[in-house]
Amino acid sequence: MRPRSKGDWYEVLLGVALAAMVLYALGNSGVPRLLTDAEERGHSAAWVAVALLGFVLSAWTAGWSFVGPVALTAARLHWVSWRRPDVAIRAAGRRALLVSVVAGAVVAVTAGLALDAAELPSVVPAVAVWTALQLLLLVAVQLQRRDLDRTARLLPIAFGAAAVVIAAAEAWGAVAATVTACVAAVAGAAAVVTGGGVARRRDAVAELTPRWQLLRGARHRWAIVAGITLMDGDVVRIVRNRDAKATKRALPAAVFRGPRPVGLAAAAFLRGLPAALTIGAVAVPIAFAAHEILGLTPALVVVVLAELVVTRVTARAAEAWLASPALPRIWGLDGNGPAAALAAPAVVVCAVIAATVTAGLSLPAQAGLALAALPVAVVLRRRSARRPDAGLTVIATPMGAVPVQTVDRVVAGPDVAFVALLVAHWLSA
């Protein structure tokens, strides 16, 4: 492998410095403001902090489950196979532990700053958070060694569900928390039954981590680095879909026989509906709880982020077909009709979310229309960003020269969501 040059280390240090400044801002002003607002509205800042910690633990376990605590590339694995592969695996585990120690310390310090600014005990909770993160890494290592992928993927869901239950209990009481816990238990059971991956248990612990686990972790790490380098998150999605269990079949030929892409819209709607409904069913209770505990602005942030995620997840087929001449040739139409048909699930689900939130939070009708129009605006904005440009303009950044078109593709979607958030907040004020 090529050793890092001085320029590479400069980029790494610059990225670490930027991340440290963001975390310091969150720990010193962002999170304490949320805890103070919760206390002013008559809620317990400690339980709100516990709910936020649940989301942090969910993100921590999901990240380690994706990249794998231990990973080796195929070339490295072939190189060490004639020697002692267990030595290389242990070395990779020690590197993962070192990264976990440093990253966990950053998270613990951020949590301590937030608790101290909110006038809550900070030292003992910060140490407990750091210890819990290291224990979760050790759990992830053991799950990877025993090839228990399904259990590893359920840990983030469990922590996220616990955070939602705590938030519901703090917002509405024990009855709402019980109902939320029952719904979370049903969703978790469905994930166990329908989830892909390997969930077998072995009679004896294997001496080495399974080879495919090592290779998959290396591929995922490469995808993250490539996505950051290319400023394109689709790299991570493509690699993740490649490693996922294939459960979807090709579309039936009947959807292409009609004079209009109505059957295609129905098929796309039915296929994209489960993921969109799952995101909406999680986001709507969180938005209501955030409105009860923190106020209107956090609730709108949750709704806008949920609609953005739903649109990105369910409208990918529309974005893919926009660059393909296949559908216009089938129906003799331009690409707008088939693309609109494939984007229908995002529009319908986001309209339902917007209507529910508008009625539940007593928002003005204009704010509800702004939230309902967000998926259409996101799809159109991402389409315009991916349109080929005749020229190439380069801007200078601390990371080097970056094309303007690349930056435009990165911000396409989140910028429209930010504008929709500002409009909805202005109309609701």
Side-chain angles (χ1 to χ4, degrees), residues 192-368:
V192 171
V193 174
T194 61
V198 181
R200 60 181 180 273
R201 292 185 178 272
R202 303 184 177 186
D203 296 332
V205 178
E207 182 181 357
L208 299 177
T209 306
R211 180 179 299 242
W212 80 276
Q213 287 276 4
L214 301 173
L215 300 179
R216 189 190 62 173
R219 283 196 302 269
H220 289 179
R221 295 183 184 187
W222 171 87
I224 293 175
V225 175
I228 295 175
T229 304
L230 299 175
M231 300 180 69
D232 192 354
D234 287 340
V235 179
V236 180
R237 178 181 62 84
I238 292 171
V239 173
R240 182 178 59 188
N241 291 341
R242 174 189 172 187
D243 292 332
K245 182 181 179 181
T247 56
K248 293 183 179 179
R249 294 174 297 177
L251 290 173
V255 302
F256 301 100
R257 294 173 182 170
R260 296 283 177 179
V262 179
L264 182 64
F269 179 78
L270 293 177
R271 288 199 170 187
L273 192 60
L277 286 180
T278 301
I279 298 172
V282 173
V284 171
I286 295 177
F288 285 150
H291 180 266
E292 179 68 25
I293 298 174
L294 302 174
L296 179 61
T297 302
L300 291 177
V301 170
V302 172
V303 173
V304 170
L305 289 179
E307 292 193 8
L308 179 61
V309 173
V310 168
T311 305
R312 294 290 297 270
V313 169
T314 59
R316 285 170 180 161
E319 296 176 1
W321 282 112
L322 283 174
S324 173
L327 292 184
R329 290 175 181 174
I330 293 175
W331 284 287
L333 304 172
D334 57 3
N336 295 329
L342 290 170
V347 176
V348 173
V349 174
C350 289
V352 173
I353 294 175
T356 304
V357 172
T358 302
L361 303 183
S362 300
L363 300 179
Q366 296 84 350

Side-chain angles (χ1 to χ4, degrees), residues 27-95:
N28 192 50
S29 60
V31 179
R33 178 63 183 274
L34 293 178
L35 299 180
T36 304
D37 292 343
E39 278 193 333
E40 291 177 354
R41 297 175 68 89
H43 296 280
S44 173
W47 284 112
V48 175
V50 171
L52 294 176
L53 178 61
F55 291 114
V56 172
L57 296 180
S58 177
W60 178 270
T61 51
W64 279 116
S65 174
F66 181 74
V67 302
V70 182
L72 289 177
T73 61
R76 180 65 176 169
L77 194 60
H78 285 304
W79 176 256
V80 302
S81 61
W82 63 276
R83 299 172 58 191
R84 293 285 303 278
D86 54 338
V87 175
I89 292 175
R90 292 194 187 99
R94 287 193 295 269
R95 288 193 296 268

Side-chain angles (χ1 to χ4, degrees), residues 9-23 102 106 399:
W9 284 113
Y10 164 75
E11 295 178 358
V12 172
L13 293 177
L14 183 59
V16 171
L18 293 175
M21 287 189 292
V22 172
L23 290 175
V102 177
V106 173
M399 297 295 184

